[in-house]
Amino acid sequence: MAADLPKAKVRAAVAEDFAQVYPLLRQLNDTRFTEAVWKRLFTNLWNQKNWSPGYVLDTGEQIVGFLGGLYLVGGLYLVGGLHSEGIDGQHHSVCNLNSWIVDEAYRSSSMMLLMPFLRQKSLVLTSLTSSPEAYAVYKKLGFKDLDTAARVIYPVPSFMGTVELITEPGSVRAFLTEQERQCFDAHDDLDVWQCVIRKKARVCYLLGTRRLGRAHIHCIGSTELFRETIGQIRWKLCMTLGVKGLQVDERFLGGRKLMLSRLKHFSQPKQYRGNLPADRVNASYSELVVLATP
């Protein structure tokens, strides 16, 4: 940062900052998003207490940097002002880092935006769409690779047997647990699809988005049932959603091989940091869902 530039300070972002941050967001690679879509990051979609969209670098005259933070909220316990997932008797506060962008003149101050997140020692952090530069920074800070590739699954007609695919919203909600219902309701106004796989008394909740002719699966309620039935339901799910294939991160398949599928490697692996099993990390409360468009 040049010595004659105004000094920038980090502060918590507020909804009213969007007008100043939007020109920065437009510099990110994903130019398909409209202003209205970007504004979702500055909207308290889930009516959280003490909510903030993330942190900004502010000179007092203008905002020159932003790092977004989306906190996991559905079906969770409220702990210390953040929502946390109860796993094995422990509470895990989860935050998805997104849209890290800093004006070129202030790039040397970029790390200032990350520090407030890092100071929350118990916070599980995810980065699912890192640039090469951000990926390298997160890697040095101890972030682990979460996924390096996804599997693209093409539709093949199959005998369903006792397996059902339930897509009518009211029926889907009726089969969900209390925690899953909170997630279902929280995403009701977003551009997502939600369904249930049912096999006799067993149920698997799915949440996903559509992009480039594929249904991207971001949240899986029962990986065991999903792996067992994906070969049977893929045709009906594709036909119901009007897509040419499904895409799911490899870790959710647990090494299962599927006929007529292929591996798609990410340009940068998805990452996470914190004391949470990798198989419990998902993208249901992330920019992949919040910024999704049909």
Side-chain angles (χ1 to χ4, degrees):
M1 185 174 67
D4 58 343
L5 288 173
K7 186 176 181 180
K9 296 182 179 180
V10 174
R11 64 168 174 82
V14 295
E16 291 74 19
D17 291 327
F18 176 72
Q20 287 196 63
V21 175
Y22 178 57
L24 291 170
L25 294 174
R26 291 183 62 187
Q27 298 176 33
L28 294 172
N29 292 334
D30 223 324
T31 55
R32 77 182 188 277
F33 296 142
T34 64
E35 182 175 354
V37 171
W38 279 119
K39 196 170 185 179
R40 294 175 191 169
L41 293 177
F42 283 76
T43 304
N44 190 0
L45 298 169
W46 303 305
N47 299 315
Q48 292 173 283
K49 296 179 180 179
N50 305 316
W51 170 83
S52 171
Y55 291 90
V56 293
L57 267 178
D58 192 347
T59 68
E61 298 176 359
Q62 68 175 125
I63 291 173
V64 295
F66 172 69
L67 177 56
L70 290 165
Y71 290 92
L72 182 61
V73 298
L76 308 172
Y77 303 97
L78 189 62
V79 176
L82 299 180
H83 287 78
S84 312
E85 187 167 359
I87 299 174
D88 300 328
Q90 300 181 38
H91 294 294
H92 301 269
S93 301
V94 184
C95 179
N96 168 237
L97 302 176
N98 65 85
S99 311
W100 194 0
I101 183 72
V102 178
D103 185 277
E104 188 173 355
Y106 286 85
R107 291 282 164 83
S108 61
S109 299
S110 296
M111 283 297 296
M112 292 169 60
L113 287 167
L114 187 55
M115 294 311 296
F117 294 106
L118 296 179
R119 281 195 286 267
Q120 300 175 61
K121 298 301 182 182
S122 63
L123 190 62
V124 176
L125 299 171
T126 67
S127 178
L128 307 180
T129 58
S130 297
S131 66
E133 296 80 9
Y135 175 81
V137 170
Y138 290 139
K139 197 74 172 175
K140 289 180 180 178
L141 291 169
F143 281 64
K144 299 178 227 178
D145 287 351
L146 182 64
D147 289 293
T148 60
R151 185 155 295 274
V152 179
I153 304 168
Y154 298 103
V156 178
S158 178
F159 177 62
M160 297 279 287
T162 59
V163 178
E164 297 178 75
L165 182 68
I166 300 166
T167 57
E168 193 281 318
S171 299
V172 170
R173 194 177 187 282
F175 280 106
L176 302 181
T177 65
E178 182 180 349
Q179 292 185 344
E180 289 170 342
R181 284 176 186 167
Q182 291 183 44
C183 185
F184 180 92
D185 293 342
H187 291 79
D188 195 40
D189 292 329
L190 293 173
D191 292 320
V192 303
W193 55 266
Q194 303 185 76
C195 69
V196 157
I197 303 170
R198 185 187 181 200
K199 186 175 183 180
K200 296 183 179 178
R202 300 161 65 201
V203 168
C204 173
Y205 166 56
L206 298 181
L207 180 150
T209 58
R210 297 178 184 85
R211 187 185 176 197
L212 301 177
R214 291 182 197 149
H216 294 245
I217 301 171
H218 299 302
C219 180
I220 299 174
S222 168
T223 52
E224 181 182 1
L225 184 57
F226 177 77
R227 292 168 186 171
E228 184 180 322
T229 60
I230 181 60
Q232 293 170 272
I233 62 97
R234 59 176 164 175
W235 172 268
K236 187 170 183 181
L237 184 56
C238 286
M239 296 305 105
T240 301
L241 297 175
V243 296
K244 298 177 181 179
L246 311 174
Q247 182 168 315
V248 60
D249 293 344
E250 268 287 278
R251 67 192 162 93
F252 289 127
L253 288 169
R256 175 164 183 197
K257 305 299 180 184
L258 287 163
M259 179 181 66
L260 284 182
S261 69
R262 67 178 178 85
L263 206 57
K264 175 189 173 183
H265 290 277
F266 301 131
S267 52
Q268 273 76 234
K270 298 179 180 181
Q271 297 169 286
Y272 81 109
R273 172 177 138 156
N275 185 25
L276 185 65
D279 63 352
R280 298 304 299 266
V281 179
N282 66 67
S284 55
Y285 290 84
S286 75
E287 82 274 25
L288 294 178
V289 168
V290 170
L291 299 179
T293 54

